[in-house]
Amino acid sequence: MPATTTGPDSSRARSWWGWGYADAQPGDAECVAMGALLPGTLDRPLPVPRVADLALGRPRVTPPASLAHLVTDEPGARAAHAMGKAYRDVVRALRGRPGRIPDLVGRPGGERDVTDLLDWADGQGVAVIPFGGGSSVVGGVEYRGDAHRAVLSLDTTSMGRVLEVDTVSRSARIQAGALGPVLEAQLRPYGLTLRHFPQSFEFSTLGGWLATRAGGHYATVRTHIDDFVQSLSVVTPAGTNTSWRLPASGAGPSPDRLFLGSEGILGVITEAWMRVQERPRHKASASVAFADLGPALDAVRALAQSDLAPANCRLLDAGEAALSGASDDGSAVLLLGFESATAPVDDRLAAALETARAHGGTGAAPEPESGRAERAADAAVSDWRTAFLRMPYLRDGLARMGAVVETFETAATWDRIPALIDAVRAEVGAAALKATGHPATVNCRLTHVYPDGAAPYFTVAVAGRPGDEVAIWDDIKAAATDVLHRHRATVTHHHAVGRDHLPAYARQRPDPFATALRAAKDALDPRGTLNPGVLLG
Amino acid sequence: MPATTTGPDSSRARSWWGWGYADAQPGDAECVAMGALLPGTLDRPLPVPRVADLALGRPRVTPPASLAHLVTDEPGARAAHAMGKAYRDVVRALRGRPGRIPDLVGRPGGERDVTDLLDWADGQGVAVIPFGGGSSVVGGVEYRGDAHRAVLSLDTTSMGRVLEVDTVSRSARIQAGALGPVLEAQLRPYGLTLRHFPQSFEFSTLGGWLATRAGGHYATVRTHIDDFVQSLSVVTPAGTNTSWRLPASGAGPSPDRLFLGSEGILGVITEAWMRVQERPRHKASASVAFADLGPALDAVRALAQSDLAPANCRLLDAGEAALSGASDDGSAVLLLGFESATAPVDDRLAAALETARAHGGTGAAPEPESGRAERAADAAVSDWRTAFLRMPYLRDGLARMGAVVETFETAATWDRIPALIDAVRAEVGAAALKATGHPATVNCRLTHVYPDGAAPYFTVAVAGRPGDEVAIWDDIKAAATDVLHRHRATVTHHHAVGRDHLPAYARQRPDPFATALRAAKDALDPRGTLNPGVLLG
């Protein structure tokens, strides 16, 4: 059994405390260079924390012999499953104050193993934290409090197989522990792809995506993983919930939709039949610059309200564009991408560019592509994507320099978007300044767009105060949550609720729905074994 | 207060026992002509039933004076709210054996009225049946059993206003009792449309569509009303559930999705913010003939798996095409339609026709359209649409001739579709023959298509046996339900569950979900006031 959380490349060690692979973490020199860009940070990086320095304690329970092969108490594994990968989590690890470390880490190989582990834990008063790939940035995979006898973190990444492929119906039955690259590699021989590429793609699982309603590749139309679900298998203490494979149904409230977004409190998702796609054979992309954000927002709204359905329609404000190298002149940049398995997309891109230009956008004409497969996107798109995947590593490097660096995201209807973005910038910036005494960077991009609204994604970076990083971030986050709530913007578009968003979620959620969800929880998990503290407190 | 169920044209009387407007029902001569097409039917039509012949009984409760203006016990209104509009309902009315007639009919004018009526009924042990427009074809709006002190049918059609329009976000807040034409008339001045056009469009309400997850206008992508919901207001005995207006959210399981498809058992939907569309300025349509259904199914699957997203993609088998006048030579006919508010659609139609031809389809080339608004569709499409809206009236005429005529619908993944259609034809035809001694017509069309499957819709017509029509239909329906279940095809794609589909739904629904739904019901409606017998039995 692998000692720590696995990644798709099993020859590389995962970081127990930070993002991704340990060997991809920025070195000390790179940390110092990054820190120099943010006034007020440390002169040298905090040391990389060591598992050996943690007070793990002995596991408070022992699994029965029949389950011993599915469970480990190896210190590295326990430490790596103590928390997710939020800034809050990284800095707690750096400061030697990680969350409650689980007593045991379970690694089920399939649905039967999940059932056995859950049955045992449920009978023993042991809390079960479905960990998936552990990339939660909202406190979704740690234990808080002291109401359970012990804690079992359930790492599902050993359940990574594509079990069946139906090429006629373009569907695949996939084990829920499959990491992004693991499932894509198994679909590729069929010419198929799930095309769900969150920033955490390498280190998050299908089951995690489903349990948190993850936002994926497509910027329009089918933005969430929800839309690709044909059926689910979910192990609950009250039995296994397996829905029928159906392209659509009108038979009562959707059973799958109750479990999508349930964040492990109702059951452990073990398998799903997913709607997969033919691999795109036609792609075209371009970037458009806008001198001001306002007209850029109008352009994006016009595109979202057209029939063009771009796969990528990502608007970066000036700060975000500069940070990612997409522009260096203070422009906002719109990244556009189209793709299709069946037909050239040049015309759609051309029409989108015409719309963008009508709103004052400027930029290079796209290269003609006419069916050439997997062609390189233009330079801005390509630079941006590289930066996108690198960002969480850089965040950890900045955290080592004492910086407070984190993101949060939301969605709101178009009528509220311009004022919302302005208010977040002003109020979150002010809160960061107040908390740290340093000026903060607050950047914004739109990650997903809809005919009726958009999903803004904010990045905050500011020099912290040694030892106070968590408290500083909590202050900043409280300001962010407050402004989102006043603008009736959702507490999360695709990062999930976890434990960190619980108070804001409780205010946003309609009371009768909360009553119904609590009743469902009590009926399916009467002993409160599953992910206690998430969604319902 | 109007005496009976209203339609959008208040100058015309609604039929209390049959479909639509009384003056649109076929006359005796037309009934006889239709009956002649179905061997074994009666020589003359059954008489139109009269309210005066019903044994209504006196209402068993009296509302308090404060609610008297919202409630009627007028016999015509009570009779018109006893049942929905299934064949089963029509023939029970014709035979003088309607379902349990409600004691009172409520006509709330807004959410406050709904709350007041529900509070009163809930406190008095009076069952509340949310009636909407009353077009249920699955026993969704009648009372069965005897567990309640009295029955209040809640006709919401007096709540028909569009309350707010947000043109920036293309959204409208609409009262749930708005009938299709009523809400479209109010959106038209803004250049907007909901574009939800079920067969029941004139006589069903937004709230009914939402409560039953109705299938609408679009044959692809956004097929169900669910996809157009931005937020809901639902009055429950435990309080009013009002979700935030959001274009998308990842905050826990979707609160709206619990109420969508809840068929009135959890609450009464009173308002919704809906995503509306700009009115299409570009339309193009065409029909394609196929000598055999198999290649036609392959063509439709290829279209559903392309990016073309036709608004209409309706495949009629030979019998269905002949009946609607779309073909008279034994061909299957594919009706294709494209529409857009922003760009010409000729290219998309041309590409779709190319795909259809590649699978052996033949047909007239589409007329060029180039942006002409609201152009006439081609003859087959137009004929079919007229027949479509007329069909429920003709069914009632045939019912008066002693025929058993009804439809049922389902959805399944593509790998199962050909065998499913064959099996339904064979087994339902055999069951109809066995039940009646007469050969039956069993036709099929695909109403909605998906990348991973399709929604077949079947029509059965056979001469009945006087007085045994309900039992005959129940036998035929049992055979249909059985074959759907064995092929793992859903009990309903968009007609809903009601009381008629309950046993099959209970077999299809995963047990833990049933447990959760029961718990939600008990928490929100602890006295079982709301639509008892639906979904949970």
Side-chain angles (χ1 to χ4, degrees), chain B residues 236-267:
Chain B
T236 84
T240 299
N241 188 93
T242 302
S243 54
W244 283 14
R245 281 187 67 195
L246 293 171
S249 178
S254 163
D256 295 338
R257 296 275 182 175
L258 179 65
F259 292 100
L260 293 170
S262 65
E263 302 192 14
I265 71 163
L266 301 180

Side-chain angles (χ1 to χ4, degrees), chain A residues 236-264:
Chain A
T236 85
T240 299
N241 189 91
T242 302
S243 54
W244 283 13
R245 282 186 67 194
L246 293 170
S249 178
S254 163
D256 295 338
R257 296 274 182 177
L258 179 65
F259 292 99
L260 294 170
S262 65
E263 300 192 18

Side-chain angles (χ1 to χ4, degrees), chain A residues 166-171 212-213 221-222 224 230 236 238-255 257-258 260-263 275 301 305-307 339-343 348 411-416 450-454 484-485 488-494 496-497 505 508 510 512-513 515-517 519-520 523-524 535, chain B residues 166-171 212-213 221-222 224 230 236 238-255 257-258 260-263 275 301 305-307 339-343 348 411-416 450-454 484-485 488-494 496-497 505 508 510 512-513 515-517 519-520 523-524 535:
Chain A
D166 169 0
T167 54
V168 172
S169 313
R170 283 201 341 205
S171 316
T212 60
R213 300 175 66 195
V221 189
R222 296 185 166 113
H224 285 74
Q230 195 176 76
T236 85
T240 299
N241 189 91
T242 302
S243 54
W244 283 13
R245 282 186 67 194
L246 293 170
S249 178
S254 163
R257 296 274 182 177
L258 179 65
L260 294 170
S262 65
E263 300 192 18
R275 297 171 185 137
R301 180 163 67 88
Q305 295 179 348
S306 76
D307 309 313
E339 60 178 50
S340 171
T342 52
R348 285 158 70 197
T413 47
W414 282 115
D415 56 313
R416 297 166 190 187
Y450 303 87
D452 56 334
L484 295 187
H485 190 268
R488 290 292 184 274
T490 182
V491 66
T492 176
H493 173 265
H494 61 267
V497 174
Y505 169 64
Q508 172 177 333
F513 180 74
T515 300
L517 185 62
L524 297 183
L535 289 185
Chain B
D166 170 0
T167 55
V168 172
S169 312
R170 283 200 342 203
S171 316
T212 60
R213 302 175 65 197
V221 191
R222 296 185 167 114
H224 285 76
Q230 196 175 76
T236 84
T240 299
N241 188 93
T242 302
S243 54
W244 283 14
R245 281 187 67 195
L246 293 171
S249 178
S254 163
R257 296 275 182 175
L258 179 65
L260 293 170
S262 65
E263 302 192 14
R275 297 172 185 138
R301 179 163 68 88
Q305 295 179 346
S306 76
D307 309 312
E339 60 178 51
S340 170
T342 52
R348 286 158 68 199
T413 46
W414 282 115
D415 56 313
R416 297 168 190 186
Y450 303 88
D452 56 334
L484 296 186
H485 191 269
R488 289 294 183 271
T490 182
V491 66
T492 177
H493 172 267
H494 61 267
V497 173
Y505 169 64
Q508 172 178 333
F513 179 74
T515 299
L517 185 62
L524 297 183
L535 288 185

Side-chain angles (χ1 to χ4, degrees), chain B residues 114-181:
Chain B
V114 171
T115 304
D116 292 344
L117 286 168
L118 183 56
D119 280 353
W120 168 72
D122 195 44
Q124 295 289 318
V126 174
V128 173
I129 312 288
F131 189 78
S135 67
S136 172
V137 291
V138 294
V141 294
E142 69 181 88
Y143 185 85
R144 296 181 191 168
D146 211 17
H148 292 78
R149 190 176 148 211
V151 177
L152 170 68
S153 180
L154 212 59
D155 182 318
T156 55
T157 55
S158 300
M159 299 164 47
R161 279 180 302 145
V162 172
L163 300 168
E164 271 182 90
V165 174
D166 170 0
T167 55
V168 172
S169 312
R170 283 200 342 203
S171 316
R173 183 160 71 96
I174 308 174
Q175 285 189 305
L179 297 160

